[in-house]
Structures are given as C-alpha cells and as structure tokens.
Amino acid sequence: MVIKIVMSIFIIVMILTAWYLWHRRGGTFLIYDVGGDPRLATILKWTSIALIIESVIGIIILFFTNKYLNLITLILGSLTILIFSLLINQKNE
C-alpha cells in the first residue's frame, strides 16, 4: 500500500514536470531563453512527451501487484531527466 502511494506521488510529479516543460518550450526556462534557441525548445518538447508516456506506463504498472515492476517507472523517469539535464548543459557546444 505504501509503495502505491509513493509511486502515485512520483507519477504526479512526473506529470507536473512534463506540464511545466511543455508550457515553457516557447518562452523562458529557468535561465535559458528558449525563444532564441530552437534546439532547446525541441529538447523541452520531447522531454515532456517522454515524461507523459512514462507516466501513463507508470499508471498501468501501478495496478499490477508486483512491486518490482514499479522500478521500471522510476528508472525510465530518472533516465529521462538525466538525459534532459545533460542535453541542456551541452547546448552551448
């Protein structure tokens, strides 16, 4: 029961992050001007799409009784955010 609550919170955070990235893809994102860099807008768009897909997968996995399947959601979400952070840090190169 506790695992389902924690995973539900994680999925909600992923959905909120995807929503934030989607709405910031045309303006400013933290310290970056997305309007002047179309590559960054693309990164924001595809990251938000990936997070939404992973959230849907996480919701489906949440209904299974095997608690180790929830690791798929954790790993996918963490890897997506890791790749996103690496891509925005290399945008000036």
Side-chain angles (χ1 to χ4, degrees):
M1 182 67 183
V2 174
I3 292 174
K4 287 190 178 197
I5 294 171
V6 171
M7 286 307 298
S8 298
I9 292 170
F10 182 75
I11 292 169
I12 290 169
V13 169
M14 280 198 327
I15 291 171
L16 289 174
T17 304
W19 175 83
Y20 179 77
L21 293 177
W22 183 261
H23 286 284
R24 294 295 175 186
R25 74 187 189 283
T28 58
F29 173 71
L30 298 177
I31 61 170
Y32 303 106
D33 180 26
V34 180
D37 189 3
R39 182 177 173 269
L40 186 57
T42 304
I43 293 169
L44 289 171
K45 178 178 76 170
W46 285 108
T47 303
S48 65
I49 291 170
L51 286 174
I52 288 294
I53 291 169
E54 292 162 7
S55 298
V56 170
I57 292 170
I59 291 169
I60 292 169
I61 288 175
L62 197 60
F63 292 111
F64 291 116
T65 56
N66 189 350
K67 63 182 177 183
Y68 295 109
L69 284 177
N70 289 316
L71 288 174
I72 295 171
T73 307
L74 289 171
I75 291 169
L76 286 176
S78 299
L79 284 176
T80 301
I81 296 300
L82 172 70
I83 292 168
F84 170 73
S85 64
L86 291 174
L87 287 173
I88 64 168
N89 283 326
Q90 295 178 355
K91 76 173 201 72
N92 292 329
E93 295 179 11

